[in-house]
Amino acid sequence: PHFEKMLYINAQMISNYSDAYKIDKNEAYHRTVSQTIDWLEREMTDNKGRFYSSQDADSEGEEGLFFIWDKSEIESLLKENAAEFIKLYQVTDTGNFEGKNILNLNQSLQTYAVENDIDYDALVTRLANSKRILWETREKRIPPLRDDKIITAWNAMMIKSFSYAGQQLNRQDYLEIAINAAE
């Protein structure tokens, strides 16, 4: 995917994944909604509760630099969990984007767990820990610029999406974020 993050696209994604979770209770859909909302709260919300319009694709003048990884960097950071992470996210020495790697999950974690005869919950826990380590490392990089325009229509879409996700996932905190943004 393109590295630029648009508010309206994330609003649609939250609604769609909330719908998908409502239909079949797949935890991957729930996790996608939660992780997207966590990112929006952390990166795209101002101190009054309003949502910024977008995050740029470039940092330090290079597209995607903030988001891409060297295989050796992942191996160094994740140590004993690196091999599994590299396999699951298709990380290679040559990369899949200008010599580096965009992490690419092309199968569900449930499928991976079954095919590799490993405990699904333990896999989710290991990956969450690995992602946390990578996130903490990435936070030391120069981030892409954020467009801090507050676009009413896009904020309305996001308020609706937070409200819907709050109802579908039974998350009062999402409803409170929506109410705060609306106010």
Side-chain angles (χ1 to χ4, degrees):
H2 185 59
F3 297 105
E4 185 176 32
K5 311 283 189 292
M6 303 299 295
L7 187 66
Y8 67 91
I9 292 172
N10 281 276
Q12 293 168 343
M13 191 170 79
I14 290 169
S15 292
N16 291 340
Y17 276 96
S18 294
D19 273 340
Y21 179 73
K22 177 183 174 184
I23 292 167
D24 77 4
K25 302 299 184 205
N26 184 326
E27 284 302 313
Y29 301 145
H30 187 286
R31 200 167 39 255
T32 298
V33 171
S34 297
Q35 289 173 349
T36 302
I37 286 176
D38 289 347
W39 171 77
L40 285 158
E41 281 187 280
R42 187 178 63 247
E43 303 290 333
M44 300 296 287
T45 306
D46 76 3
N47 60 0
K48 294 180 182 177
R50 303 172 301 182
F51 303 105
Y52 301 123
S53 63
S54 66
Q55 185 181 61
D56 199 2
D58 299 349
S59 57
E60 300 183 62
E62 201 173 316
E63 183 178 9
L65 185 62
F66 184 75
F67 301 102
I68 55 181
W69 299 91
D70 285 323
K71 182 179 177 186
S72 61
E73 185 179 23
I74 291 173
E75 289 170 331
S76 173
L77 290 166
L78 301 185
K79 299 178 182 16
E80 68 274 355
N81 291 327
E84 178 180 66
F85 191 92
I86 285 167
K87 179 180 177 186
L88 190 56
Y89 286 93
Q90 303 177 354
V91 174
T92 66
D93 289 320
T94 57
N96 58 14
F97 179 78
E98 299 179 1
K100 302 222 180 197
N101 293 278
I102 300 170
L103 302 180
N104 182 33
L105 182 64
N106 74 345
Q107 70 181 141
S108 75
L109 297 181
Q110 292 146 331
T111 300
Y112 182 84
V114 169
E115 288 177 357
N116 291 279
D117 194 30
I118 56 179
D119 179 75
Y120 171 76
D121 292 329
L123 173 65
V124 169
T125 300
R126 280 193 308 278
L127 290 176
N129 186 51
S130 293
K131 288 179 191 179
R132 181 190 51 76
I133 291 167
L134 295 181
W135 182 79
E136 288 171 355
T137 300
R138 192 180 74 186
E139 286 302 297
K140 296 173 187 167
R141 298 175 181 175
I142 296 173
L145 296 175
R146 180 177 52 221
D147 185 342
D148 62 1
K149 283 192 300 281
I150 306 296
I151 300 173
T152 303
W154 294 2
N155 269 255
M157 290 175 69
M158 191 56 73
I159 290 165
K160 180 180 177 186
S161 295
F162 266 75
S163 298
Y164 188 66
Q167 292 169 341
Q168 299 309 314
L169 299 150
N170 196 27
R171 293 285 303 263
Q172 183 63 32
D173 56 329
Y174 296 170
L175 294 171
E176 289 169 9
I177 292 167
I179 291 166
N180 186 46
E183 289 175 349

